C-alpha cells in the first residue's frame, strides 16, 4: 500500500504552461560518509548565455499506469524502469514500472514505498539507492531483477533521499542527497560487493540536481543546496576525483531532470525556489566547455520529472506542473 509522504507542499493555483516542441524527507540522523576524498577545482566558466539550436522532437508519447513524480529512473536489461515516486496525493509508492519498450506496465514491487531515490544499473538488475519514506530516508541499496524479484545488495553510509546516480564504467556514482536534517556534499562510488566509498566532495550541498554520465565523466547541473536553487554546471572526473565548475545555467533550477545523448548533457524542465515556477526548456550542454544551447521545450512545463536514455531516445517520465497536478505521461525525445 502507498504511504503518505511527510513532505507535502502547498501548491499555488497557477495553470500548467503549455509549450510546443519547436525550439526530503522524514527525519534521520546525519551519518558519516567516510573520509573525504577528491578536490574541488574552480575554473573559468561559460556565461550561461543560450544560443538557439535545432529542437529535440517528440518521437512517442505513452501513458503510465498511474501519475507519478520523482521516480528513480534508469535503463536495466534493455528497459526503462521507474521505481517508487510520489503519486497524485503525495504518497510514496512501491511500484516498479517498465516504461519502455512496449506499453508501460508494473513489473515489480519494492519492499517499501519510497520516493526521491536514485537508480542506475551495471549490466544487470536495476539498482535503487536510498529514498524517502513516511518514516524518513532509507539507506538501502536494492537490486530489482528482470523477473521482478528484489533483494538488498548494500547500504548507503547514511539514510538519504533526494540523491542522483550515474554509471561510469564498472561503478555507479551517487551524487548529493539529504539525510532528513542535512543536505550532502558527497559523491560516493558503488561497486558490487564492496562498501560505498566517498571519492569526491561537491563545492556545496546538493539535492534534486540533474545528473548524467557523459564521455566518462559525471555531469551535474542545478539542484538546491537546501535553501536556494543553484545555477552551477559541474563536471566530476572519476579517474582523478576532481570536481570542476564548467558553466552556469541561465537561471537557478532544482527538481530538474538530466540525461545524456550522443555525447551531450541535457537538462530538462525543473523549477526555481518557487513551487509554481516550473520550466519547460530543454538545454543541451557541451560536457567539455559548458556551453549551452536551447534545443526545445517539453510538452508541459514540469518539475519533478525523471529522464533516462534508451538507444537514441531520451525518455522523460512523470512530473508536476505549476498547478500541483502530477502527470502520468512519458515522452520519448529524439534529435
Amino acid at each position: 500500500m502507498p504511504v503518505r509522504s511527510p513532505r507535502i507542499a502547498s501548491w499555488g493555483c497557477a495553470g500548467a504552461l503549455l509549450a510546443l516542441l519547436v525550439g526530503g524527507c522524514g527525519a534521520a540522523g546525519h551519518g558519516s560518509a567516510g573520509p573525504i576524498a577528491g578536490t574541488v577545482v574552480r575554473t573559468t566558466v561559460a556565461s550561461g548565455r543560450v544560443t538557439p539550436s535545432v529542437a529535440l522532437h517528440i518521437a512517442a508519447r505513452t501513458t503510465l499506469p498511474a501519475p507519478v513524480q520523482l521516480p528513480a529512473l534508469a535503463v536495466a536489461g534493455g528497459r526503462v524502469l521507474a521505481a517508487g515516486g510520489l503519486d497524485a496525493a503525495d504518497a510514496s509508492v512501491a511500484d516498479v514500472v517498465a516504461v519502455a519498450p512496449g506499453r508501460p506496465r508494473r513489473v515489480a514491487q519494492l519492499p517499501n514505498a519510497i520516493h526521491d531515490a536514485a537508480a542506475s544499473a551495471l549490466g544487470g538488475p536495476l539498482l535503487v539507492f536510498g529514498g524517502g519514506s513516511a518514516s524518513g530516508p532509507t539507506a538501502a541499496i536494492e537490486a530489482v531483477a528482470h523477473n521482478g524479484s528484489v533483494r538488498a545488495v548494500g547500504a548507503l553510509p547514511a539514510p538519504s533521499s533526494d540523491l542522483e546516480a550515474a554509471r561510469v564504467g564498472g561503478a555507479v556514482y551517487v551524487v548529493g542527497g539529504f539525510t532528513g536534517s542535512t543536505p550532502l556534499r558527497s559523491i560516493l562510488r558503488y561497486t558490487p560487493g564492496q562498501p560505498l566509498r566517498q571519492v569526491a566532495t561537491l563545492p556545496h550541498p546538493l539535492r534534486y540536481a540533474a545528473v548524467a554520465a557523459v564521455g566518462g565523466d559525471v555531469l551535474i547541473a542545478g539542484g538546491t543546496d537546501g535553501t536556494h536553487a543553484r545555477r552551477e554546471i559541474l563536471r566530476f572526473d572519476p579517474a582523478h576525483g576532481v570536481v570542476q565548475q564548467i558553466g552556469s545555467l541561465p537561471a537557478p533550477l532544482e527538481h530538474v531532470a538530466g540525461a545524456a545523448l550522443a555525447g551531450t548533457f541535457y537538462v530538462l524542465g525543473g523549477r526555481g525556489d518557487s513551487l509554481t515556477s516550473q520550466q519547460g526548456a530543454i538545454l543541451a550542454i557541451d560536457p567539455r566547455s559548458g556551453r549551452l544551447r536551447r534545443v526545445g521545450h517539453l510538452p508541459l512545463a514540469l518539475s519533478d520529472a525523471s529522464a533516462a536514455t534508451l538507444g537514441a531516445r531520451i525518455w522523460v517520465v512523470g512530473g508536476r506542473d505549476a498547478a500541483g497536478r502530477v502527470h502520468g505521461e512519458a515522452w520519448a525525445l529524439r534529435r
Side-chain angles (χ1 to χ4, degrees):
M1 294 292 291
V3 295
R4 178 70 56 181
S5 164
R7 190 187 60 82
I8 299 177
S10 174
W11 293 84
C13 299
L17 301 177
L18 293 176
L20 293 176
L21 239 185
V22 295
C25 307
H30 176 48
S32 171
I36 293 177
T39 303
V40 177
V41 178
R42 298 193 180 278
T43 64
T44 302
V45 301
S47 66
R49 184 180 58 175
V50 178
T51 302
S53 185
V54 178
L56 291 182
H57 300 279
I58 296 178
R61 175 191 176 278
T62 190
T63 302
L64 304 170
V68 69
Q69 56 184 318
L70 301 167
L73 194 73
V75 173
R79 301 183 295 177
V80 178
L81 297 176
L86 290 169
D87 65 15
D90 279 319
S92 303
V93 297
D95 295 339
V96 179
V97 174
V99 177
R103 184 166 158 268
R105 61 212 178 275
R106 294 181 178 91
V107 295
Q109 287 280 303
L110 299 172
N112 299 293
I114 59 170
H115 59 274
D116 295 11
S120 189
L122 286 168
L126 178 74
L127 298 170
V128 180
F129 297 84
S133 71
S135 58
T138 176
I141 303 173
E142 294 170 328
V144 182
H146 196 84
N147 65 4
S149 64
V150 183
R151 63 186 179 94
V153 294
L156 298 169
S160 305
S161 63
D162 311 353
L163 64 174
E164 303 294 337
R167 172 190 176 178
V168 176
V172 174
Y173 294 91
V174 179
V175 178
F178 181 60
T179 67
S181 60
T182 305
L184 299 173
R185 296 178 60 189
S186 56
I187 297 180
L188 307 174
R189 176 187 170 101
Y190 169 82
T191 51
Q194 299 182 25
L196 270 79
R197 180 168 64 92
Q198 184 166 341
V199 293
T201 304
L202 296 164
H204 48 263
L206 202 60
R207 306 163 58 190
Y208 298 117
V211 173
V214 190
D217 293 328
V218 177
L219 274 291
I220 305 160
T224 174
D225 56 20
T227 303
H228 295 295
R230 309 290 305 206
R231 294 183 57 190
E232 294 87 349
I233 302 168
L234 305 174
R235 181 176 65 224
F236 166 60
D237 173 6
H240 300 94
V242 174
V243 178
Q244 297 176 307
Q245 182 178 346
I246 61 169
S248 296
L249 298 172
L253 283 176
E254 60 182 271
H255 292 252
V256 60
L261 180 63
T264 299
F265 179 42
Y266 290 90
V267 174
L268 306 106
R271 64 170 173 83
D273 290 334
S274 168
L275 296 176
T276 59
S277 59
Q278 277 72 8
Q279 306 293 314
I282 303 172
L283 301 176
I285 299 172
D286 183 291
R288 306 315 304 172
S289 68
R291 290 185 179 276
L292 293 160
R293 294 173 293 142
R294 192 181 302 278
V295 293
H297 283 77
L298 297 174
L300 297 168
L302 292 172
S303 64
D304 303 300
S306 298
T309 302
L310 178 62
R313 297 180 174 186
I314 295 174
W315 283 90
V316 180
V317 177
R320 189 162 193 148
D321 65 28
R325 290 185 291 263
V326 179
H327 288 263
E329 299 87 20
W331 293 276
L333 307 179
R334 63 174 175 81
R335 301 178 86 175

